[in-house]
Amino acid sequence: MTLRAVQPIDQNWEFKQEDDDSSKFLAVSQFPTNVHLDLIHHKIIPDPFIGKNENTVQWVGEKAWIYKTTFPSSKVKGSKSVLAFDGLDTYATVVLNGKEILKTENMFIPERVDVTDILKSDADNELEITFACTFLIGKKIVEEHPEHGWGCWNGDVSRLAVRKAQYHYGWDWGPTFLTCGPWKPINLEVYDSRISDLYFTTEVDKSLQSAEIVAKADIEGEGSEVKFELSLDDKVVSTETAKVEKAFATATFKTQDPALWYPAAYGKQPLYVLTATLLSGEDQCDTASKRFGLRRAEVIQRKLDDAPGTTFYFEINNIPVFCGGSDWIPADSFTPRITKQKYRDWVKLVLDGNQAMIRVWGGGIFEDKAFYEACDEMGVLVWQDFMFGCGNYPAHEEFLESVKQEAIANVKLLRHHPSIVIWAGNNEDYQYQESENLDYDPKDTEPQNWLKSTFPARYIYEKVLADVTKELVPGTYYHFGSPFGGKDTRDPTIGDIHQWNVWHGTQEKYQNFDKIGGRFVSEFGMEGFPSIKTIDSYLPKGKDDPDRYPQSSTVDFHNKADGHERRIALYLVENMQYKFEPFEQFVYCTQLMQAECLASAYRLWKREWKGPGREYCAGALVWQINDCWPVTSWAIVDYYLRPKHAYYTVKRELAPITIGLKRTVTTTPADKYTRVNVKTVHKIEMWASNLSLEKRTMDVQLKAWDVITGKETYSKSLHSGYVLEPNRSVEITDFEVPVEKKDAEEELRTVVAAYLTENGKQVARYVNWPEPLKYTHLQKPKDLKIKLSQGADAVEITAEVPVKGVALEAEDDSVVFADNCVDVVPGETVSIGVQGLSSGDEGKLVVRYLGS
């Protein structure tokens, strides 16, 4: 028998506009590809990311496009030849040697076509793919189903009718680019028999001392046996051979003391390899392998000791994990150009930022395998949405069948990844249902009734996807949607919530995030401008562009959030003194505001992780980690992987050991008959968080300074040998703001810092300021010193007065900081790790701070 051979069909591709006689076939820019990338390559359209070129290129999405190539038939002889299309975007008609072989209507479904009788043996084969206009098809589908209540947030409503990445239609952080093309690989496979799917179930005993792996292989064609081999670190652990019966083979491996896969903060990430070899007698027909990790992963929902509702936390290998992390959108509007290395760089940023989880959002794509492999290798947990977002999706028969096949295909592709610990049915579709008062009766458990309601997509989330995940990934928790739980999606006591009452909604003060938390906050956010270098990259004339100012039409164009001008202005004006010029300082102020906001959320919500029976908040995922183009958005790292200041403040708050302070002001009248005789008390609450699994014994110290003079007004050791219990936050004390003179409003000029030290070494530090910062009389330091360490691997910062948010910048992107946007107080040296500088390079650094 012939060993299966795979021949990439990735050469000689050309493309042209389908309905333009003057259009000539041109070589593609890369493969896989899409039409925008190819048009950019040939300068037929300008770079859509520059200026307002997004508007200029909209015609592309309303045309049909043809891609074609020629390829030789495989030299390998086999009884069957198949063209495998990993992804075609979206409505494609495929013709091979003049014969139509495939029509597609879902960019997420891989397709396989038997072309054995169509291939030429004596000449090259001609493959042609015509991509119709998905936008127009979606519009027609909407018209064909007037009975459905079409409606959505973000993008044209016709996006709901087609199975295409929904963000292509535009979102409140992204542009509208209706792409098409062969966006994933195409291969010619030749074989007699093959392993059509290799998969397995794993069960790790509660004791963690043993594990069972049940390996399974689906077979196409003939074959007598499958040899299963389990290896770890390139060493074979065990081998089993199983007979093929009814096109299926299975074998069970049992292992003692298994090498377990852990989230990064709690252990290593050993990855086993399961290899299956299909045999026909002595002949080898095919081989397949999957890399996986052994772990227990559960979502724990149980009653709390002293609060309403239930927990919602992730337990990995019996370890409750506080999941601080981020939401993820596609890293480019044109995903074929995202390299494997760029995926790794993004995940490494998440890991280096002390983040435990990343959520793949439901309006994008099922990500490339390189993304999940990086998460597996680095120990980053993945929350995986299905691809539905912010709308009332239809549920007619053809749509349901397409969705079902999409779900089956992608769950099969991803189910071996140990990083994926939850699947969720959609993003905010239940919120949309609530906002539009669509039908939803939780007591109605008859799926056929759901199809007749004004919210028929309930059938998708609670029937189709529930059934698929139950069958294919029974060991992974399935959540109907995000958010979902409780009496509605806003219920903070059950399931997850999206907390948008800072920025959107009631526009609460970000100092009060502790009042609007939930059991698991899977979205929240605040906008901040990207790096000035990123802004210069999209301005047509760069630094010399006349629109290089905060309120220009081009800068506004690169912010897609409704009302962003008012919201950014609101949170700036509420919190700090700022100015529009120079532009660089305004950018800094927006980033500082975003950094303060998000740090407040993580600090206050992590405080609510109080140990067994008191997991009041078990996770917070910021919207969002990344961007798909250069833009002002909620991202904490911009399109070019340049961290905003919020990245660093979040990193500090998610460190294993942290200390927190919250300032409160209470006023109490002497009796109910006075408005004048009132006592005002300024207090500070102090707590610490220990996310490690060991008790830690700390010394707790408190200091205070006068923000105007820089004088140290207080210094005291509060505790010696204070025990921080493992994996929880603990309240330490509360106290009045230390001042030298009572009733003199000195609290409003007093900066307080708390420290945790262990064996004389500082482990955690937090500086608390009078707020809002705009009322604080910040001084311009006269002696702010920035000095490179002897090895040029750290920048050392000192000042004679308290300085808020000292930020370092460098023109060269090869200069990388380990921390940034730090508070500096007198008598201390703050050290920031740095790469890319040499001794004497202090002049290459630009320093900013609040008030500079």
Side-chain angles (χ1 to χ4, degrees), residues 778-794:
L778 299 169
Q779 302 298 296
K780 282 190 169 61
K782 297 176 182 176
D783 195 22
L784 178 62
K785 292 181 179 178
I786 308 296
K787 180 183 177 183
L788 275 171
S789 63
Q790 188 170 358
D793 59 355

PDB file of all heavy atoms in Angstrom, residues 778-794:
ATOM      1  N   LEU A 778       0.605  68.299  42.520  1.00  0.00           N
ATOM      2  CA  LEU A 778       1.824  67.601  42.140  1.00  0.00           C
ATOM      3  C   LEU A 778       2.921  68.612  41.791  1.00  0.00           C
ATOM      4  O   LEU A 778       2.664  69.606  41.111  1.00  0.00           O
ATOM      5  CB  LEU A 778       1.554  66.689  40.939  1.00  0.00           C
ATOM      6  CG  LEU A 778       0.512  65.585  41.162  1.00  0.00           C
ATOM      7  CD1 LEU A 778       0.141  64.943  39.831  1.00  0.00           C
ATOM      8  CD2 LEU A 778       1.038  64.543  42.129  1.00  0.00           C
ATOM      9  N   GLN A 779       4.107  68.302  42.261  1.00  0.00           N
ATOM     10  CA  GLN A 779       5.240  69.193  42.024  1.00  0.00           C
ATOM     11  C   GLN A 779       6.091  68.670  40.876  1.00  0.00           C
ATOM     12  O   GLN A 779       6.227  67.464  40.678  1.00  0.00           O
ATOM     13  CB  GLN A 779       6.106  69.292  43.276  1.00  0.00           C
ATOM     14  CG  GLN A 779       5.347  69.777  44.494  1.00  0.00           C
ATOM     15  CD  GLN A 779       4.785  71.177  44.301  1.00  0.00           C
ATOM     16  OE1 GLN A 779       5.535  72.140  44.140  1.00  0.00           O
ATOM     17  NE2 GLN A 779       3.462  71.286  44.311  1.00  0.00           N
ATOM     18  N   LYS A 780       6.670  69.581  40.109  1.00  0.00           N
ATOM     19  CA  LYS A 780       7.647  69.182  39.108  1.00  0.00           C
ATOM     20  C   LYS A 780       8.963  68.918  39.828  1.00  0.00           C
ATOM     21  O   LYS A 780       9.515  69.814  40.467  1.00  0.00           O
ATOM     22  CB  LYS A 780       7.834  70.272  38.068  1.00  0.00           C
ATOM     23  CG  LYS A 780       6.721  70.333  37.025  1.00  0.00           C
ATOM     24  CD  LYS A 780       7.096  71.276  35.906  1.00  0.00           C
ATOM     25  CE  LYS A 780       6.140  71.148  34.731  1.00  0.00           C
ATOM     26  NZ  LYS A 780       4.766  71.464  35.069  1.00  0.00           N
ATOM     27  N   PRO A 781       9.463  67.687  39.756  1.00  0.00           N
ATOM     28  CA  PRO A 781      10.704  67.390  40.477  1.00  0.00           C
ATOM     29  C   PRO A 781      11.877  68.184  39.909  1.00  0.00           C
ATOM     30  O   PRO A 781      12.004  68.347  38.696  1.00  0.00           O
ATOM     31  CB  PRO A 781      10.882  65.893  40.243  1.00  0.00           C
ATOM     32  CG  PRO A 781      10.133  65.615  38.977  1.00  0.00           C
ATOM     33  CD  PRO A 781       8.963  66.545  38.983  1.00  0.00           C
ATOM     34  N   LYS A 782      12.702  68.672  40.797  1.00  0.00           N
ATOM     35  CA  LYS A 782      13.919  69.379  40.366  1.00  0.00           C
ATOM     36  C   LYS A 782      15.102  68.431  40.270  1.00  0.00           C
ATOM     37  O   LYS A 782      16.142  68.783  39.714  1.00  0.00           O
ATOM     38  CB  LYS A 782      14.228  70.514  41.361  1.00  0.00           C
ATOM     39  CG  LYS A 782      13.143  71.581  41.423  1.00  0.00           C
ATOM     40  CD  LYS A 782      13.452  72.620  42.485  1.00  0.00           C
ATOM     41  CE  LYS A 782      12.335  73.659  42.579  1.00  0.00           C
ATOM     42  NZ  LYS A 782      12.571  74.644  43.675  1.00  0.00           N
ATOM     43  N   ASP A 783      14.933  67.253  40.851  1.00  0.00           N
ATOM     44  CA  ASP A 783      16.062  66.324  40.899  1.00  0.00           C
ATOM     45  C   ASP A 783      15.600  64.903  40.542  1.00  0.00           C
ATOM     46  O   ASP A 783      15.874  63.957  41.267  1.00  0.00           O
ATOM     47  CB  ASP A 783      16.691  66.350  42.302  1.00  0.00           C
ATOM     48  CG  ASP A 783      18.068  65.700  42.329  1.00  0.00           C
ATOM     49  OD1 ASP A 783      18.693  65.618  41.257  1.00  0.00           O
ATOM     50  OD2 ASP A 783      18.491  65.251  43.402  1.00  0.00           O
ATOM     51  N   LEU A 784      14.886  64.804  39.407  1.00  0.00           N
ATOM     52  CA  LEU A 784      14.481  63.490  38.904  1.00  0.00           C
ATOM     53  C   LEU A 784      15.663  62.897  38.151  1.00  0.00           C
ATOM     54  O   LEU A 784      16.101  63.450  37.136  1.00  0.00           O
ATOM     55  CB  LEU A 784      13.266  63.628  37.985  1.00  0.00           C
ATOM     56  CG  LEU A 784      12.739  62.342  37.335  1.00  0.00           C
ATOM     57  CD1 LEU A 784      12.270  61.346  38.381  1.00  0.00           C
ATOM     58  CD2 LEU A 784      11.612  62.668  36.348  1.00  0.00           C
ATOM     59  N   LYS A 785      16.188  61.806  38.643  1.00  0.00           N
ATOM     60  CA  LYS A 785      17.392  61.217  38.050  1.00  0.00           C
ATOM     61  C   LYS A 785      17.055  59.879  37.383  1.00  0.00           C
ATOM     62  O   LYS A 785      16.390  59.030  37.971  1.00  0.00           O
ATOM     63  CB  LYS A 785      18.460  61.006  39.115  1.00  0.00           C
ATOM     64  CG  LYS A 785      19.020  62.306  39.673  1.00  0.00           C
ATOM     65  CD  LYS A 785      20.095  62.041  40.708  1.00  0.00           C
ATOM     66  CE  LYS A 785      20.671  63.361  41.241  1.00  0.00           C
ATOM     67  NZ  LYS A 785      21.689  63.120  42.293  1.00  0.00           N
ATOM     68  N   ILE A 786      17.554  59.749  36.175  1.00  0.00           N
ATOM     69  CA  ILE A 786      17.392  58.522  35.396  1.00  0.00           C
ATOM     70  C   ILE A 786      18.797  58.009  35.083  1.00  0.00           C
ATOM     71  O   ILE A 786      19.557  58.663  34.362  1.00  0.00           O
ATOM     72  CB  ILE A 786      16.620  58.775  34.087  1.00  0.00           C
ATOM     73  CG1 ILE A 786      15.311  59.514  34.357  1.00  0.00           C
ATOM     74  CG2 ILE A 786      16.394  57.471  33.342  1.00  0.00           C
ATOM     75  CD1 ILE A 786      14.322  58.740  35.180  1.00  0.00           C
ATOM     76  N   LYS A 787      19.125  56.859  35.621  1.00  0.00           N
ATOM     77  CA  LYS A 787      20.490  56.352  35.486  1.00  0.00           C
ATOM     78  C   LYS A 787      20.481  54.882  35.110  1.00  0.00           C
ATOM     79  O   LYS A 787      19.732  54.087  35.670  1.00  0.00           O
ATOM     80  CB  LYS A 787      21.235  56.549  36.814  1.00  0.00           C
ATOM     81  CG  LYS A 787      22.684  56.072  36.810  1.00  0.00           C
ATOM     82  CD  LYS A 787      23.298  56.253  38.186  1.00  0.00           C
ATOM     83  CE  LYS A 787      24.725  55.703  38.221  1.00  0.00           C
ATOM     84  NZ  LYS A 787      25.315  55.816  39.579  1.00  0.00           N
ATOM     85  N   LEU A 788      21.320  54.514  34.131  1.00  0.00           N
ATOM     86  CA  LEU A 788      21.465  53.113  33.768  1.00  0.00           C
ATOM     87  C   LEU A 788      22.348  52.402  34.777  1.00  0.00           C
ATOM     88  O   LEU A 788      23.347  52.972  35.248  1.00  0.00           O
ATOM     89  CB  LEU A 788      22.083  52.980  32.372  1.00  0.00           C
ATOM     90  CG  LEU A 788      21.123  53.047  31.186  1.00  0.00           C
ATOM     91  CD1 LEU A 788      21.903  53.118  29.880  1.00  0.00           C
ATOM     92  CD2 LEU A 788      20.189  51.853  31.174  1.00  0.00           C
ATOM     93  N   SER A 789      21.986  51.178  35.095  1.00  0.00           N
ATOM     94  CA  SER A 789      22.795  50.385  36.014  1.00  0.00           C
ATOM     95  C   SER A 789      24.129  50.046  35.363  1.00  0.00           C
ATOM     96  O   SER A 789      24.337  50.259  34.161  1.00  0.00           O
ATOM     97  CB  SER A 789      22.057  49.098  36.386  1.00  0.00           C
ATOM     98  OG  SER A 789      21.870  48.295  35.227  1.00  0.00           O
ATOM     99  N   GLN A 790      25.026  49.484  36.140  1.00  0.00           N
ATOM    100  CA  GLN A 790      26.371  49.219  35.656  1.00  0.00           C
ATOM    101  C   GLN A 790      26.363  48.304  34.427  1.00  0.00           C
ATOM    102  O   GLN A 790      27.128  48.496  33.490  1.00  0.00           O
ATOM    103  CB  GLN A 790      27.225  48.599  36.763  1.00  0.00           C
ATOM    104  CG  GLN A 790      28.694  48.471  36.402  1.00  0.00           C
ATOM    105  CD  GLN A 790      29.536  48.071  37.601  1.00  0.00           C
ATOM    106  OE1 GLN A 790      29.012  47.932  38.713  1.00  0.00           O
ATOM    107  NE2 GLN A 790      30.827  47.888  37.387  1.00  0.00           N
ATOM    108  N   GLY A 791      25.479  47.337  34.415  1.00  0.00           N
ATOM    109  CA  GLY A 791      25.411  46.428  33.276  1.00  0.00           C
ATOM    110  C   GLY A 791      24.448  46.890  32.194  1.00  0.00           C
ATOM    111  O   GLY A 791      24.203  46.143  31.232  1.00  0.00           O
ATOM    112  N   ALA A 792      23.879  48.052  32.344  1.00  0.00           N
ATOM    113  CA  ALA A 792      22.916  48.633  31.394  1.00  0.00           C
ATOM    114  C   ALA A 792      21.696  47.740  31.210  1.00  0.00           C
ATOM    115  O   ALA A 792      21.030  47.790  30.171  1.00  0.00           O
ATOM    116  CB  ALA A 792      23.581  48.917  30.040  1.00  0.00           C
ATOM    117  N   ASP A 793      21.393  46.945  32.241  1.00  0.00           N
ATOM    118  CA  ASP A 793      20.214  46.078  32.152  1.00  0.00           C
ATOM    119  C   ASP A 793      19.070  46.568  33.027  1.00  0.00           C
ATOM    120  O   ASP A 793      18.067  45.886  33.193  1.00  0.00           O
ATOM    121  CB  ASP A 793      20.571  44.643  32.523  1.00  0.00           C
ATOM    122  CG  ASP A 793      21.146  44.523  33.932  1.00  0.00           C
ATOM    123  OD1 ASP A 793      21.356  45.573  34.590  1.00  0.00           O
ATOM    124  OD2 ASP A 793      21.402  43.394  34.365  1.00  0.00           O
ATOM    125  N   ALA A 794      19.223  47.749  33.594  1.00  0.00           N
ATOM    126  CA  ALA A 794      18.156  48.343  34.401  1.00  0.00           C
ATOM    127  C   ALA A 794      18.292  49.859  34.376  1.00  0.00           C
ATOM    128  O   ALA A 794      19.403  50.401  34.264  1.00  0.00           O
ATOM    129  CB  ALA A 794      18.203  47.828  35.838  1.00  0.00           C
TER     130      ALA A 794
END
